[in-house]
Amino acid sequence: RSIAMMAALAVLAVSPEVNAVAAPKRPAAPAVDPTVSYYDLGYAALSHGDYAGAYHLWLPLAERGFAPAQFAIGNLYFAGEGVAQDDAAAVNWFRKAADQGLAGGQTGLGVMYQYGRGVAQDYAAAAALYRRAADQGLADAQYNLKALCTAHPTTTGCPYP
């Protein structure tokens, strides 16, 4: 081979312009939503009975306003799993999720009102919350609304006689 040809190949090998054109473009990595990832990790912990672990994974998400995590934290306080049982804390977290329109949060808060746990008992408030969740198609809310209105048919907001 000639020295001129080797020199030309050497220039091509180190030339950034040539390498930039010749190198294939890598596709961008898919975006990863860390909120969903930590939320899923919380459910994995929960499914293995690690309620405290689930709480610690969900709490930062709940504090940042992620409604499903707020509802999950409310359930932990309601049941006293992974944390000390605390109706007032459960109401607080259910309300945050409910205010964002999460059907589970609305139903959880409705239960608190129906049974007077952490709030004054208020069947009308419970019925209104169940109705909002039921209108989203949540079967538990539909059942709770029917049961509440059957037991207390004069409650304001009850669609059933």
Short mmCIF file of all heavy atoms in Angstrom, two decimals, residues 46-110:
data_model
loop_
_atom_site.label_atom_id
_atom_site.label_comp_id
_atom_site.label_asym_id
_atom_site.label_seq_id
_atom_site.Cartn_x
_atom_site.Cartn_y
_atom_site.Cartn_z
N LEU A 46 -46.15 -3.96 49.33
CA LEU A 46 -47.42 -4.27 49.98
C LEU A 46 -47.81 -5.74 49.76
O LEU A 46 -48.25 -6.42 50.69
CB LEU A 46 -48.51 -3.34 49.43
CG LEU A 46 -49.86 -3.39 50.11
CD1 LEU A 46 -49.79 -2.65 51.44
CD2 LEU A 46 -50.92 -2.74 49.23
N SER A 47 -47.63 -6.22 48.54
CA SER A 47 -48.02 -7.60 48.23
C SER A 47 -47.17 -8.62 48.98
O SER A 47 -47.57 -9.76 49.13
CB SER A 47 -47.95 -7.85 46.72
OG SER A 47 -46.62 -7.88 46.29
N HIS A 48 -46.00 -8.19 49.47
CA HIS A 48 -45.15 -9.07 50.27
C HIS A 48 -45.31 -8.80 51.76
O HIS A 48 -44.49 -9.24 52.56
CB HIS A 48 -43.69 -8.91 49.85
CG HIS A 48 -43.42 -9.51 48.51
ND1 HIS A 48 -43.45 -8.78 47.34
CD2 HIS A 48 -43.16 -10.79 48.14
CE1 HIS A 48 -43.20 -9.58 46.33
NE2 HIS A 48 -43.02 -10.80 46.78
N GLY A 49 -46.33 -8.03 52.13
CA GLY A 49 -46.59 -7.76 53.53
C GLY A 49 -45.71 -6.68 54.14
O GLY A 49 -45.74 -6.48 55.35
N ASP A 50 -44.96 -5.98 53.32
CA ASP A 50 -44.08 -4.92 53.83
C ASP A 50 -44.82 -3.58 53.76
O ASP A 50 -44.57 -2.74 52.89
CB ASP A 50 -42.79 -4.87 53.00
CG ASP A 50 -41.79 -3.85 53.53
OD1 ASP A 50 -42.04 -3.23 54.59
OD2 ASP A 50 -40.75 -3.66 52.86
N TYR A 51 -45.74 -3.39 54.70
CA TYR A 51 -46.58 -2.19 54.71
C TYR A 51 -45.75 -0.93 55.00
O TYR A 51 -45.98 0.11 54.39
CB TYR A 51 -47.70 -2.33 55.75
CG TYR A 51 -48.59 -3.51 55.47
CD1 TYR A 51 -48.53 -4.66 56.25
CD2 TYR A 51 -49.48 -3.49 54.41
CE1 TYR A 51 -49.34 -5.75 55.99
CE2 TYR A 51 -50.30 -4.57 54.13
CZ TYR A 51 -50.23 -5.70 54.92
OH TYR A 51 -51.03 -6.77 54.66
N ALA A 52 -44.79 -1.04 55.89
CA ALA A 52 -43.94 0.11 56.19
C ALA A 52 -43.10 0.49 54.97
O ALA A 52 -42.92 1.67 54.67
CB ALA A 52 -43.04 -0.18 57.38
N GLY A 53 -42.62 -0.51 54.24
CA GLY A 53 -41.87 -0.24 53.02
C GLY A 53 -42.73 0.46 51.98
O GLY A 53 -42.28 1.41 51.32
N ALA A 54 -43.97 0.00 51.83
CA ALA A 54 -44.90 0.65 50.89
C ALA A 54 -45.13 2.09 51.31
O ALA A 54 -45.11 3.00 50.48
CB ALA A 54 -46.22 -0.12 50.85
N TYR A 55 -45.33 2.30 52.59
CA TYR A 55 -45.55 3.65 53.11
C TYR A 55 -44.39 4.57 52.74
O TYR A 55 -44.58 5.68 52.25
CB TYR A 55 -45.74 3.61 54.63
CG TYR A 55 -45.85 4.97 55.28
CD1 TYR A 55 -47.07 5.63 55.30
CD2 TYR A 55 -44.75 5.57 55.86
CE1 TYR A 55 -47.17 6.89 55.89
CE2 TYR A 55 -44.84 6.82 56.45
CZ TYR A 55 -46.06 7.47 56.46
OH TYR A 55 -46.16 8.72 57.03
N HIS A 56 -43.17 4.10 52.96
CA HIS A 56 -42.00 4.94 52.70
C HIS A 56 -41.79 5.20 51.20
O HIS A 56 -41.23 6.24 50.83
CB HIS A 56 -40.75 4.34 53.33
CG HIS A 56 -40.78 4.44 54.83
ND1 HIS A 56 -40.69 5.64 55.50
CD2 HIS A 56 -40.93 3.50 55.78
CE1 HIS A 56 -40.77 5.43 56.79
NE2 HIS A 56 -40.92 4.13 57.00
N LEU A 57 -42.23 4.30 50.36
CA LEU A 57 -42.14 4.53 48.92
C LEU A 57 -43.24 5.49 48.44
O LEU A 57 -43.02 6.32 47.57
CB LEU A 57 -42.24 3.21 48.15
CG LEU A 57 -40.99 2.33 48.22
CD1 LEU A 57 -41.32 0.91 47.79
CD2 LEU A 57 -39.90 2.91 47.33
N TRP A 58 -44.43 5.37 49.03
CA TRP A 58 -45.57 6.18 48.59
C TRP A 58 -45.60 7.58 49.18
O TRP A 58 -46.10 8.50 48.54
CB TRP A 58 -46.88 5.47 48.93
CG TRP A 58 -47.18 4.29 48.08
CD1 TRP A 58 -46.76 4.05 46.81
CD2 TRP A 58 -47.97 3.17 48.46
NE1 TRP A 58 -47.25 2.85 46.37
CE2 TRP A 58 -48.01 2.29 47.35
CE3 TRP A 58 -48.67 2.82 49.61
CZ2 TRP A 58 -48.70 1.09 47.37
CZ3 TRP A 58 -49.38 1.62 49.63
CH2 TRP A 58 -49.38 0.77 48.52
N LEU A 59 -45.10 7.75 50.39
CA LEU A 59 -45.24 9.04 51.06
C LEU A 59 -44.67 10.20 50.25
O LEU A 59 -45.35 11.22 50.08
CB LEU A 59 -44.64 9.00 52.47
CG LEU A 59 -44.84 10.30 53.27
CD1 LEU A 59 -46.33 10.58 53.48
CD2 LEU A 59 -44.13 10.18 54.62
N PRO A 60 -43.45 10.12 49.71
CA PRO A 60 -42.95 11.25 48.92
C PRO A 60 -43.83 11.55 47.70
O PRO A 60 -44.01 12.70 47.32
CB PRO A 60 -41.55 10.82 48.48
CG PRO A 60 -41.17 9.71 49.40
CD PRO A 60 -42.45 9.06 49.83
N LEU A 61 -44.39 10.51 47.10
CA LEU A 61 -45.28 10.72 45.95
C LEU A 61 -46.56 11.40 46.39
O LEU A 61 -47.05 12.32 45.73
CB LEU A 61 -45.60 9.38 45.29
CG LEU A 61 -44.43 8.53 44.84
CD1 LEU A 61 -44.90 7.20 44.28
CD2 LEU A 61 -43.58 9.27 43.82
N ALA A 62 -47.11 10.95 47.52
CA ALA A 62 -48.34 11.55 48.04
C ALA A 62 -48.12 13.02 48.41
O ALA A 62 -48.96 13.87 48.12
CB ALA A 62 -48.82 10.76 49.27
N GLU A 63 -46.98 13.29 49.02
CA GLU A 63 -46.68 14.68 49.40
C GLU A 63 -46.52 15.58 48.18
O GLU A 63 -46.76 16.78 48.27
CB GLU A 63 -45.42 14.72 50.26
CG GLU A 63 -45.64 14.15 51.64
CD GLU A 63 -44.37 14.00 52.46
OE1 GLU A 63 -43.26 13.93 51.86
OE2 GLU A 63 -44.47 13.94 53.70
N ARG A 64 -46.14 15.01 47.04
CA ARG A 64 -46.01 15.78 45.80
C ARG A 64 -47.32 15.87 45.04
O ARG A 64 -47.37 16.43 43.95
CB ARG A 64 -44.93 15.17 44.91
CG ARG A 64 -43.55 15.53 45.37
CD ARG A 64 -42.50 15.08 44.36
NE ARG A 64 -41.49 14.37 45.13
CZ ARG A 64 -41.04 13.15 44.88
NH1 ARG A 64 -41.49 12.47 43.86
NH2 ARG A 64 -40.14 12.60 45.64
N GLY A 65 -48.39 15.27 45.57
CA GLY A 65 -49.70 15.41 44.96
C GLY A 65 -50.15 14.29 44.05
O GLY A 65 -51.14 14.42 43.33
N PHE A 66 -49.47 13.14 44.07
CA PHE A 66 -49.85 12.00 43.24
C PHE A 66 -51.05 11.31 43.90
O PHE A 66 -50.91 10.62 44.92
CB PHE A 66 -48.66 11.06 43.06
CG PHE A 66 -48.88 9.94 42.09
CD1 PHE A 66 -49.21 10.19 40.77
CD2 PHE A 66 -48.72 8.62 42.49
CE1 PHE A 66 -49.39 9.15 39.86
CE2 PHE A 66 -48.90 7.57 41.60
CZ PHE A 66 -49.24 7.84 40.29
N ALA A 67 -52.25 11.50 43.32
CA ALA A 67 -53.50 11.05 43.95
C ALA A 67 -53.54 9.56 44.27
O ALA A 67 -54.00 9.19 45.36
CB ALA A 67 -54.69 11.46 43.08
N PRO A 68 -53.09 8.65 43.39
CA PRO A 68 -53.14 7.23 43.77
C PRO A 68 -52.30 6.93 45.02
O PRO A 68 -52.68 6.10 45.84
CB PRO A 68 -52.59 6.52 42.53
CG PRO A 68 -52.93 7.43 41.40
CD PRO A 68 -52.74 8.81 41.97
N ALA A 69 -51.17 7.61 45.17
CA ALA A 69 -50.35 7.41 46.37
C ALA A 69 -51.05 8.00 47.59
O ALA A 69 -50.98 7.44 48.69
CB ALA A 69 -48.97 8.03 46.19
N GLN A 70 -51.73 9.13 47.43
CA GLN A 70 -52.48 9.72 48.54
C GLN A 70 -53.55 8.75 49.02
O GLN A 70 -53.73 8.55 50.23
CB GLN A 70 -53.10 11.05 48.11
CG GLN A 70 -52.07 12.12 47.84
CD GLN A 70 -52.65 13.35 47.18
OE1 GLN A 70 -53.67 13.30 46.49
NE2 GLN A 70 -51.99 14.48 47.37
N PHE A 71 -54.26 8.14 48.09
CA PHE A 71 -55.28 7.16 48.43
C PHE A 71 -54.66 5.95 49.14
O PHE A 71 -55.18 5.46 50.15
CB PHE A 71 -56.03 6.72 47.16
CG PHE A 71 -56.95 5.56 47.36
CD1 PHE A 71 -58.03 5.65 48.21
CD2 PHE A 71 -56.74 4.36 46.68
CE1 PHE A 71 -58.90 4.57 48.38
CE2 PHE A 71 -57.59 3.30 46.84
CZ PHE A 71 -58.67 3.40 47.71
N ALA A 72 -53.53 5.48 48.64
CA ALA A 72 -52.86 4.32 49.23
C ALA A 72 -52.40 4.63 50.66
O ALA A 72 -52.57 3.80 51.57
CB ALA A 72 -51.68 3.89 48.37
N ILE A 73 -51.85 5.82 50.88
CA ILE A 73 -51.43 6.22 52.23
C ILE A 73 -52.65 6.30 53.14
O ILE A 73 -52.61 5.87 54.30
CB ILE A 73 -50.68 7.57 52.19
CG1 ILE A 73 -49.34 7.43 51.46
CG2 ILE A 73 -50.48 8.14 53.59
CD1 ILE A 73 -48.27 6.67 52.20
N GLY A 74 -53.75 6.84 52.62
CA GLY A 74 -54.99 6.89 53.41
C GLY A 74 -55.43 5.51 53.85
O GLY A 74 -55.86 5.31 54.99
N ASN A 75 -55.33 4.53 52.95
CA ASN A 75 -55.70 3.16 53.31
C ASN A 75 -54.81 2.58 54.40
O ASN A 75 -55.28 1.85 55.28
CB ASN A 75 -55.66 2.26 52.07
CG ASN A 75 -56.92 2.35 51.27
OD1 ASN A 75 -58.02 2.41 51.81
ND2 ASN A 75 -56.79 2.38 49.96
N LEU A 76 -53.50 2.90 54.33
CA LEU A 76 -52.61 2.40 55.37
C LEU A 76 -52.98 2.98 56.74
O LEU A 76 -53.01 2.25 57.74
CB LEU A 76 -51.15 2.73 55.03
CG LEU A 76 -50.57 2.00 53.82
CD1 LEU A 76 -49.15 2.49 53.53
CD2 LEU A 76 -50.58 0.49 54.02
N TYR A 77 -53.28 4.28 56.78
CA TYR A 77 -53.69 4.89 58.05
C TYR A 77 -55.05 4.36 58.51
O TYR A 77 -55.28 4.14 59.69
CB TYR A 77 -53.74 6.41 57.95
CG TYR A 77 -52.40 7.06 58.14
CD1 TYR A 77 -51.76 7.72 57.09
CD2 TYR A 77 -51.75 7.02 59.37
CE1 TYR A 77 -50.52 8.31 57.26
CE2 TYR A 77 -50.51 7.61 59.56
CZ TYR A 77 -49.90 8.25 58.50
OH TYR A 77 -48.68 8.83 58.68
N PHE A 78 -55.95 4.13 57.58
CA PHE A 78 -57.28 3.60 57.91
C PHE A 78 -57.16 2.24 58.60
O PHE A 78 -57.80 1.98 59.61
CB PHE A 78 -58.11 3.47 56.63
CG PHE A 78 -59.47 2.87 56.82
CD1 PHE A 78 -60.52 3.63 57.28
CD2 PHE A 78 -59.69 1.53 56.54
CE1 PHE A 78 -61.79 3.07 57.46
CE2 PHE A 78 -60.95 0.96 56.71
CZ PHE A 78 -62.00 1.74 57.18
N ALA A 79 -56.31 1.38 58.04
CA ALA A 79 -56.17 0.02 58.55
C ALA A 79 -55.10 -0.13 59.61
O ALA A 79 -55.02 -1.16 60.28
CB ALA A 79 -55.87 -0.93 57.40
N GLY A 80 -54.25 0.89 59.77
CA GLY A 80 -53.15 0.77 60.72
C GLY A 80 -52.11 -0.23 60.28
O GLY A 80 -51.55 -0.97 61.08
N GLU A 81 -51.82 -0.26 58.99
CA GLU A 81 -50.83 -1.19 58.44
C GLU A 81 -49.59 -0.40 58.04
O GLU A 81 -49.65 0.47 57.18
CB GLU A 81 -51.41 -1.93 57.24
CG GLU A 81 -52.56 -2.83 57.63
CD GLU A 81 -53.23 -3.50 56.45
OE1 GLU A 81 -53.32 -2.90 55.38
OE2 GLU A 81 -53.67 -4.65 56.64
N GLY A 82 -48.48 -0.70 58.69
CA GLY A 82 -47.23 -0.01 58.41
C GLY A 82 -47.09 1.31 59.13
O GLY A 82 -46.02 1.91 59.17
N VAL A 83 -48.19 1.79 59.68
CA VAL A 83 -48.25 3.03 60.46
C VAL A 83 -49.26 2.81 61.58
O VAL A 83 -50.06 1.88 61.52
CB VAL A 83 -48.70 4.24 59.60
CG1 VAL A 83 -47.68 4.60 58.54
CG2 VAL A 83 -50.05 3.99 58.96
N ALA A 84 -49.22 3.68 62.58
CA ALA A 84 -50.24 3.61 63.62
C ALA A 84 -51.59 3.97 63.02
O ALA A 84 -51.69 4.88 62.20
CB ALA A 84 -49.89 4.56 64.76
N GLN A 85 -52.63 3.24 63.40
CA GLN A 85 -53.97 3.54 62.90
C GLN A 85 -54.34 4.96 63.30
O GLN A 85 -54.16 5.36 64.45
CB GLN A 85 -54.97 2.52 63.46
CG GLN A 85 -56.29 2.42 62.72
CD GLN A 85 -57.23 3.57 63.00
OE1 GLN A 85 -57.26 4.11 64.12
NE2 GLN A 85 -57.98 3.97 62.02
N ASP A 86 -54.82 5.76 62.33
CA ASP A 86 -55.09 7.18 62.58
C ASP A 86 -56.18 7.64 61.62
O ASP A 86 -55.93 7.90 60.44
CB ASP A 86 -53.81 7.98 62.37
CG ASP A 86 -53.94 9.45 62.73
OD1 ASP A 86 -55.07 9.99 62.75
OD2 ASP A 86 -52.89 10.08 62.95
N ASP A 87 -57.42 7.74 62.14
CA ASP A 87 -58.55 8.13 61.29
C ASP A 87 -58.39 9.53 60.73
O ASP A 87 -58.75 9.78 59.58
CB ASP A 87 -59.86 8.02 62.06
CG ASP A 87 -60.32 6.58 62.25
OD1 ASP A 87 -59.85 5.69 61.50
OD2 ASP A 87 -61.14 6.34 63.15
N ALA A 88 -57.88 10.46 61.53
CA ALA A 88 -57.71 11.84 61.05
C ALA A 88 -56.72 11.89 59.89
O ALA A 88 -56.93 12.60 58.90
CB ALA A 88 -57.25 12.75 62.19
N ALA A 89 -55.64 11.13 59.99
CA ALA A 89 -54.66 11.09 58.89
C ALA A 89 -55.28 10.43 57.66
O ALA A 89 -55.05 10.88 56.53
CB ALA A 89 -53.39 10.36 59.32
N ALA A 90 -56.06 9.37 57.87
CA ALA A 90 -56.73 8.71 56.74
C ALA A 90 -57.66 9.70 56.03
O ALA A 90 -57.65 9.79 54.80
CB ALA A 90 -57.51 7.49 57.22
N VAL A 91 -58.44 10.44 56.80
CA VAL A 91 -59.34 11.45 56.22
C VAL A 91 -58.54 12.46 55.41
O VAL A 91 -58.91 12.82 54.28
CB VAL A 91 -60.18 12.15 57.31
CG1 VAL A 91 -60.85 13.41 56.78
CG2 VAL A 91 -61.21 11.19 57.88
N ASN A 92 -57.44 12.93 55.97
CA ASN A 92 -56.61 13.91 55.29
C ASN A 92 -56.14 13.41 53.92
O ASN A 92 -56.27 14.11 52.91
CB ASN A 92 -55.41 14.26 56.17
CG ASN A 92 -54.45 15.21 55.50
OD1 ASN A 92 -54.82 16.29 55.05
ND2 ASN A 92 -53.19 14.80 55.42
N TRP A 93 -55.62 12.19 53.88
CA TRP A 93 -55.10 11.66 52.62
C TRP A 93 -56.21 11.30 51.65
O TRP A 93 -56.09 11.53 50.44
CB TRP A 93 -54.17 10.48 52.88
CG TRP A 93 -52.88 10.93 53.48
CD1 TRP A 93 -52.43 10.73 54.75
CD2 TRP A 93 -51.86 11.72 52.84
NE1 TRP A 93 -51.21 11.33 54.93
CE2 TRP A 93 -50.83 11.95 53.77
CE3 TRP A 93 -51.72 12.24 51.56
CZ2 TRP A 93 -49.68 12.67 53.47
CZ3 TRP A 93 -50.57 12.97 51.26
CH2 TRP A 93 -49.57 13.18 52.21
N PHE A 94 -57.32 10.73 52.16
CA PHE A 94 -58.45 10.43 51.27
C PHE A 94 -58.99 11.73 50.65
O PHE A 94 -59.32 11.78 49.47
CB PHE A 94 -59.58 9.73 52.03
CG PHE A 94 -59.32 8.28 52.36
CD1 PHE A 94 -59.89 7.73 53.50
CD2 PHE A 94 -58.54 7.46 51.56
CE1 PHE A 94 -59.69 6.40 53.83
CE2 PHE A 94 -58.33 6.12 51.88
CZ PHE A 94 -58.91 5.58 53.01
N ARG A 95 -59.07 12.79 51.46
CA ARG A 95 -59.59 14.06 50.97
C ARG A 95 -58.69 14.62 49.85
O ARG A 95 -59.18 15.13 48.85
CB ARG A 95 -59.73 15.08 52.10
CG ARG A 95 -60.40 16.37 51.67
CD ARG A 95 -60.58 17.38 52.80
NE ARG A 95 -61.09 16.84 54.04
CZ ARG A 95 -62.38 16.56 54.28
NH1 ARG A 95 -63.28 16.76 53.33
NH2 ARG A 95 -62.75 16.10 55.46
N LYS A 96 -57.38 14.54 50.03
CA LYS A 96 -56.46 15.03 49.00
C LYS A 96 -56.69 14.29 47.68
O LYS A 96 -56.70 14.90 46.60
CB LYS A 96 -55.01 14.88 49.46
CG LYS A 96 -54.61 15.85 50.55
CD LYS A 96 -53.20 15.54 51.05
CE LYS A 96 -52.82 16.37 52.26
NZ LYS A 96 -52.36 17.70 51.92
N ALA A 97 -56.84 12.97 47.76
CA ALA A 97 -57.07 12.18 46.55
C ALA A 97 -58.46 12.47 45.98
O ALA A 97 -58.62 12.60 44.76
CB ALA A 97 -56.92 10.69 46.86
N ALA A 98 -59.45 12.59 46.84
CA ALA A 98 -60.82 12.86 46.39
C ALA A 98 -60.91 14.22 45.71
O ALA A 98 -61.59 14.36 44.69
CB ALA A 98 -61.78 12.81 47.59
N ASP A 99 -60.22 15.21 46.25
CA ASP A 99 -60.25 16.55 45.67
C ASP A 99 -59.66 16.58 44.26
O ASP A 99 -59.96 17.50 43.49
CB ASP A 99 -59.51 17.55 46.56
CG ASP A 99 -60.27 17.88 47.84
OD1 ASP A 99 -61.47 17.53 47.95
OD2 ASP A 99 -59.65 18.49 48.74
N GLN A 100 -58.84 15.61 43.95
CA GLN A 100 -58.28 15.51 42.60
C GLN A 100 -59.15 14.65 41.68
O GLN A 100 -58.80 14.41 40.53
CB GLN A 100 -56.87 14.93 42.65
CG GLN A 100 -55.88 15.87 43.32
CD GLN A 100 -54.48 15.35 43.17
OE1 GLN A 100 -53.95 15.26 42.06
NE2 GLN A 100 -53.87 14.98 44.28
N GLY A 101 -60.28 14.16 42.22
CA GLY A 101 -61.21 13.39 41.40
C GLY A 101 -60.95 11.90 41.37
O GLY A 101 -61.57 11.19 40.58
N LEU A 102 -60.08 11.40 42.23
CA LEU A 102 -59.80 9.96 42.25
C LEU A 102 -60.97 9.23 42.91
O LEU A 102 -61.30 9.49 44.07
CB LEU A 102 -58.50 9.67 43.00
CG LEU A 102 -58.02 8.23 42.91
CD1 LEU A 102 -57.46 7.94 41.52
CD2 LEU A 102 -56.96 7.95 43.96
N ALA A 103 -61.57 8.31 42.17
CA ALA A 103 -62.75 7.61 42.66
C ALA A 103 -62.47 6.85 43.96
O ALA A 103 -63.31 6.83 44.87
CB ALA A 103 -63.28 6.66 41.60
N GLY A 104 -61.32 6.23 44.08
CA GLY A 104 -60.98 5.52 45.31
C GLY A 104 -60.90 6.47 46.50
O GLY A 104 -61.36 6.14 47.60
N GLY A 105 -60.32 7.64 46.29
CA GLY A 105 -60.25 8.64 47.36
C GLY A 105 -61.63 9.11 47.77
O GLY A 105 -61.92 9.30 48.96
N GLN A 106 -62.51 9.30 46.79
CA GLN A 106 -63.89 9.72 47.08
C GLN A 106 -64.61 8.64 47.88
O GLN A 106 -65.31 8.95 48.85
CB GLN A 106 -64.62 10.02 45.77
CG GLN A 106 -64.07 11.22 45.05
CD GLN A 106 -64.46 11.30 43.59
OE1 GLN A 106 -64.94 10.32 43.00
NE2 GLN A 106 -64.27 12.47 43.00
N THR A 107 -64.41 7.39 47.51
CA THR A 107 -65.05 6.29 48.23
C THR A 107 -64.48 6.16 49.64
O THR A 107 -65.24 5.99 50.60
CB THR A 107 -64.90 4.98 47.45
OG1 THR A 107 -65.48 5.15 46.16
CG2 THR A 107 -65.58 3.83 48.16
N GLY A 108 -63.16 6.24 49.76
CA GLY A 108 -62.55 6.15 51.09
C GLY A 108 -63.05 7.26 52.01
O GLY A 108 -63.39 7.01 53.17
N LEU A 109 -63.12 8.47 51.49
CA LEU A 109 -63.63 9.59 52.30
C LEU A 109 -65.11 9.40 52.61
O LEU A 109 -65.56 9.69 53.72
CB LEU A 109 -63.38 10.91 51.56
CG LEU A 109 -63.69 12.18 52.33
CD1 LEU A 109 -62.91 12.26 53.65
CD2 LEU A 109 -63.37 13.41 51.46
N GLY A 110 -65.85 8.84 51.66
CA GLY A 110 -67.27 8.54 51.91
C GLY A 110 -67.45 7.56 53.06
O GLY A 110 -68.35 7.72 53.89
#
